[in-house]
Amino acid sequence: MAEISVTDQEVEDWQHQIEDIVGWFDQLQAVDVSGVEPAAIADGKEQGSLRPDVPRAYENRDAIMESVPNKERSYVKVPKIM
Amino acid sequence: MLLVGRGALPFPCCLLISLRDLGLQRHITYCRAAIHPLSGRAARRAPAGRNTTTAAAVAAPEQSKHQTKQNKGGQQAAKTAWEAIVGIECHIQLNTRTKAFCSCSNQFGGQPNAHVCPVCLAHPGALPVLNQETVHKGMLASLALNCSIAHTSKFDRKQYFYPDLPKGYQISQYDIPLGSSGSLELMFKDGTKRQVSIERAHLEEDAGKLVHGGSDQLSGSTHSLVDYNRAGVPLLEVVSGPDLRSGREAAAYAAELHRIMSLVGVIDVHAQDAVMRCDVNVSVRKKGEEQLRTRVEVKNMNSLSAIQKAVEYEMERQVELIESGRESEIVQETRLFDEDKGHTFSMRKKEGLADYRYFPEPDLPLLQIEENIISEVKDSLPEMPSAARQRLLQLKLPIADVLTLTDDMETATYLSAVLAAGAPPKQAANWVMGDLLGYCKEHKAHIGDLDLTPQLLAEMITLIESGTISGKIGKQILPDLIKGKVSPGSLEKWVKTEGLAQISDEATIAAMIDEVLASKPQELEQYRGGKTKLQGFFVGLVMKESQGRVNPAIMNKILMQRLQATKS
Ligand SMILES: [Zn+2]
């Protein structure tokens, strides 16, 4: 699991939100699904269209890279691994 | 710690998605996500690029020199009583133009992070769309490996945290792979064959590339650098059954896989970086034993010699531990192979089965492929190496030649065209293997790119066979033919205009011989006196006189007649 920095205020706010979500799952779990085929994907019946293999450079690449908090040359800089 | 699992699989996963949408993506991706005990990606990535699997690296594997350096006792044991049980997982980088799920270019080298977009960097709300060419190439490769193609397959999220994986999961295929139940046939120098089962072939995306991470990092450095150009590049993971029995077989399998992938055109054979990364699972057993022992995984090798040596080393190590009563020291773990030192070393122990919390990728629909599309791709497949080997063997070519000719299927294809143009097999094979491959090696050229077309080579061989030109003249004019000096269909006319046609007319040859003998009365006298080895001297003179154009058989016959006539 990720180590995520949160403030005490965030912990307090999110605790309720997460409890709500968990509660919602409890409601879902209560549904009787016996005899229903497991669906691989929610949208199972729909065949999505495939994308043609044509390269297209993303026009806002510079903006994306600018939003990276730490960089070195054009690399993304992350904490040392292992 | 924010996330509290509640048993049911989808729960923590869904929560993860909602956290992404809450805007925590940056934290997960770039900052504190660093370490997950399951991943071990640094070690996996660190060696990438140091060794490359190029076409050149994929020659027929030789018996490893490394073996001789091993402890003799263990070696003996390994050879006589023990065998390895080896299965291989290979990650094959498909040479599509764009990444698997976004339109970014599938190209590395150059500027780091040049080919990135919100999809491959996992920005909130960005959705993947599957590249049709990824599917097509995945099918080509799977069908070439005799796999069945799933009419309906799906993508799943394989979850682990590591900075080279922006989304926090890899899109892969878990329980319904694109291809399954295939096979591949190996052939060895002694003519024996081995069928290797292919358990599955599934599509997935690659991760980014960590630079200055892992063991080669300068001590004291506090950061790693990531290049996401490779993130999202399509891979086909091919998993073999545990059917290989030695390092040599493991390397032969990887070579055959590379050969087939090159043949069907799904990998970039000119790539600088490795296009195939292999993990081998190795355990040992006594020949005849059924029971399987603990297996060890050696990860991330990209050369045939590394695969062969790693298996041989592991086999050695495990046999020695067992025979010295220390079998308990063989534990389920992931090891890496140090190519310089020629040994494997432990990277991490496995604590139970790695839990990647797979679940179906909700952002991608099911992948459905109609039967007629599958048949179409199947029909487009070229002749596979195993079939080519079989066909060439039936032409009575020796096994060693057949293996050389099918090592690179471009050569086999060229030879087939020479044969189709009417050249006899043995002669065609000799010209292709000797002069042409020699030329290609020397000039770093591809046989298929030569101006000397298979038709023209067949013409030349036919002219030699019919006695129109000598084999010697053939060798002499070959460079001109390679340079494209003669167009196909006009070679016979050309050799005649150039005065290169062989002289087979007996009267002409006899006249030349008489002239030579007349010019060397002294040597002729010596020959008469019993110095019969002077025959070679006269042959050389006649050859020189005719600029190599006389038919050697006729010339020898007449020369002998003349020499013996003068003697008697
Ligand atoms: Zn992208």
Side-chain angles (χ1 to χ4, degrees):
Chain A
M1 286 294 143
E3 296 175 44
I4 299 172
S5 305
V6 289
T7 63
D8 289 346
Q9 184 57 49
E10 283 169 330
V11 170
E12 197 165 309
D13 291 350
W14 293 349
Q15 193 171 346
H16 300 294
Q17 295 178 6
I18 289 170
E19 276 167 8
D20 285 351
I21 296 169
V22 173
W24 185 65
F25 273 95
D26 279 345
Q27 286 181 40
L28 289 180
Q29 302 258 3
V31 177
D32 180 12
V33 291
S34 54
V36 179
E37 281 275 300
I41 287 182
D43 210 2
K45 288 200 181 64
E46 189 189 304
Q47 164 70 335
S49 58
L50 298 174
R51 176 174 55 79
D53 189 28
V54 180
R56 189 172 55 79
Y58 179 62
E59 56 278 6
N60 267 332
R61 181 201 157 267
D62 293 349
I64 292 187
M65 290 311 289
E66 261 161 42
S67 74
V68 173
N70 289 302
K71 273 177 294 189
E72 188 173 311
R73 288 166 285 146
S74 49
Y75 289 100
V76 174
K77 202 167 167 184
V78 297
K80 183 181 172 177
I81 311 308
M82 291 173 39
Chain B
M1 197 63 175
L2 257 175
L3 306 182
V4 187
R6 283 273 301 236
L9 176 72
F11 171 63
C13 312
C14 293
L15 199 50
L16 186 65
I17 302 161
S18 62
L19 284 176
R20 278 182 63 194
D21 296 340
L22 282 170
L24 288 178
Q25 178 58 27
R26 265 174 34 168
H27 294 271
I28 295 173
T29 307
Y30 301 123
C31 306
R32 307 287 293 275
I35 298 123
H36 191 274
L38 298 178
S39 67
R41 301 288 281 192
R44 188 183 161 143
R45 292 294 169 210
R50 281 179 56 204
N51 310 293
T52 54
T53 308
T54 62
V58 185
E62 296 297 329
Q63 198 67 18
S64 168
K65 283 183 196 129
H66 165 81
Q67 269 206 346
T68 56
K69 290 184 204 156
Q70 295 298 312
N71 172 299
K72 283 284 181 326
Q75 178 62 30
Q76 211 56 37
K79 263 195 173 155
T80 53
W82 296 88
E83 64 183 0
I85 309 294
V86 183
I88 303 189
E89 294 167 20
C90 279
H91 296 84
I92 298 161
Q93 194 179 291
L94 300 177
N95 61 347
T96 55
R97 297 176 66 205
T98 66
K99 293 185 178 182
F101 302 110
C102 62
S103 297
C104 288
S105 168
N106 173 8
Q107 214 177 51
F108 355 103
Q111 195 73 350
N113 295 305
H115 310 301
V116 294
C117 76
V119 175
C120 53
L121 288 185
H123 282 218
L127 291 173
V129 183
L130 182 56
N131 176 355
Q132 62 185 32
E133 199 58 13
T134 297
V135 177
H136 180 246
K137 295 207 153 153
M139 284 172 68
L140 263 176
S142 302
L143 288 167
L145 297 170
N146 300 303
C147 286
S148 318
I149 300 292
H151 288 101
T152 301
S153 68
K154 73 185 215 301
F155 289 92
D156 302 271
R157 293 184 177 183
K158 176 182 182 177
Q159 308 187 70
Y160 60 88
F161 284 129
Y162 211 69
D164 64 5
L165 192 72
K167 291 192 288 290
Y169 57 82
Q170 176 192 32
I171 302 180
S172 181
Q173 295 192 295
Y174 181 50
D175 50 351
I176 315 178
L178 177 68
S180 56
S181 311
S183 68
L184 163 161
E185 186 186 277
L186 304 180
M187 183 185 263
F188 300 99
K189 281 178 179 161
D190 59 1
T192 56
K193 292 178 187 170
R194 183 182 286 286
Q195 297 292 332
V196 183
S197 62
I198 304 290
E199 288 179 355
R200 56 186 284 154
H202 69 255
L203 294 170
E204 59 183 33
E205 58 178 342
D206 207 345
K209 188 176 180 178
L210 271 173
V211 186
H212 299 152
S215 57
D216 57 351
Q217 188 170 19
L218 292 172
S219 59
S221 172
T222 54
H223 289 85
S224 293
L225 303 175
V226 198
D227 172 7
Y228 291 110
N229 283 347
R230 206 168 65 182
V233 157
L235 301 176
L236 184 75
E237 179 174 336
V238 175
V239 182
S240 86
D243 300 339
L244 301 157
R245 293 290 170 270
S246 66
R248 186 182 75 123
E249 289 187 13
Y253 167 83
E256 182 74 4
L257 189 57
H258 186 274
R259 188 173 294 127
I260 293 172
M261 296 301 115
S262 310
L263 174 65
V264 297
V266 302
I267 57 173
D268 177 4
V269 289
H270 304 300
Q272 289 295 305
D273 268 341
V275 291
M276 261 175 56
R277 301 193 296 266
C278 300
D279 307 338
V280 297
N281 286 292
V282 188
S283 66
V284 295
R285 73 174 172 201
K286 277 192 171 143
K287 283 181 182 165
E289 256 179 9
E290 288 287 312
Q291 162 230 353
L292 292 173
R293 291 182 163 79
T294 306
R295 72 176 195 203
V296 166
E297 183 180 35
V298 186
K299 258 197 174 324
N300 200 33
M301 288 172 290
N302 50 28
S303 80
L304 298 182
S305 75
I307 291 168
Q308 173 160 351
K309 288 175 195 168
V311 170
E312 283 165 0
Y313 179 85
E314 262 314 299
M315 196 177 166
E316 194 82 12
R317 187 182 71 90
Q318 293 178 22
V319 167
E320 273 182 25
L321 284 172
I322 295 167
E323 293 197 328
S324 58
R326 292 153 64 204
E327 184 167 354
S328 62
E329 289 176 38
I330 304 173
V331 292
Q332 206 177 7
E333 62 179 343
T334 297
R335 299 175 73 92
L336 291 175
F337 180 65
D338 183 325
E339 223 167 347
D340 297 329
K341 292 182 184 148
H343 71 169
T344 64
F345 60 96
S346 185
M347 181 172 93
R348 63 190 146 95
K349 309 278 182 220
K350 282 191 176 164
E351 294 131 8
L353 206 62
D355 181 7
Y356 292 113
R357 298 174 297 128
Y358 280 98
F359 78 98
E361 167 58 88
D363 291 344
L364 286 166
L366 294 173
L367 174 58
Q368 282 165 336
I369 305 173
E370 313 247 339
E371 183 57 39
N372 65 319
I373 304 281
I374 299 173
S375 330
E376 236 170 71
V377 177
K378 206 173 196 168
D379 293 343
S380 76
L381 288 175
E383 181 185 40
M384 287 298 128
S386 56
R389 289 191 291 255
Q390 198 54 41
R391 183 168 53 78
L392 296 179
L393 282 174
Q394 277 165 3
L395 296 174
K396 305 272 182 265
L397 293 178
I399 291 166
D401 291 3
V402 169
L403 291 178
T404 304
L405 290 162
T406 53
D407 185 34
D408 180 346
M409 285 300 288
E410 203 181 343
T411 311
T413 307
Y414 187 96
L415 175 71
S416 300
V418 179
L419 297 179
K426 182 72 199 165
Q427 286 80 344
N430 284 342
W431 280 98
V432 169
M433 278 190 301
D435 297 81
L436 261 51
L437 286 187
Y439 177 89
C440 291
K441 198 177 170 190
E442 194 181 327
H443 294 84
K444 295 191 169 39
H446 287 268
I447 195 165
D449 298 340
L450 297 182
D451 283 327
L452 171 51
T453 60
Q455 292 70 28
L456 187 57
L457 181 65
E459 260 178 68
M460 189 190 83
I461 295 170
T462 310
L463 290 181
I464 295 171
E465 288 302 298
S466 68
T468 309
I469 59 172
S470 64
K472 204 173 164 205
I473 290 292
K475 297 235 182 229
Q476 193 182 310
I477 63 173
L478 195 70
D480 285 342
L481 302 191
I482 288 174
K483 282 180 206 137
K485 268 196 180 172
V486 186
S487 46
S490 63
L491 184 61
E492 183 162 11
K493 202 176 141 207
W494 184 78
V495 295
K496 285 183 174 155
T497 336
E498 296 285 308
L500 297 167
Q502 184 163 254
I503 303 164
S504 299
D505 177 60
E506 298 206 2
T508 314
I509 295 172
M512 281 175 145
I513 290 170
D514 290 341
E515 199 177 307
V516 163
L517 294 181
S519 71
K520 299 285 174 194
Q522 216 177 323
E523 285 80 0
L524 186 57
E525 201 60 40
Q526 288 171 353
Y527 182 93
R528 263 192 221 140
K531 210 171 169 188
T532 53
K533 66 177 179 185
L534 275 171
Q535 189 204 339
F537 168 76
F538 294 119
V539 168
L541 284 178
V542 178
M543 273 298 174
K544 199 178 160 198
E545 193 67 24
S546 70
Q547 287 153 339
R549 289 160 56 214
V550 290
N551 181 318
I554 299 175
M555 188 258 282
N556 270 317
K557 189 186 79 183
I558 300 174
L559 180 64
M560 283 315 288
Q561 284 169 2
R562 289 292 196 272
L563 289 173
Q564 274 157 14
T566 41
K567 241 170 129 183
S568 61

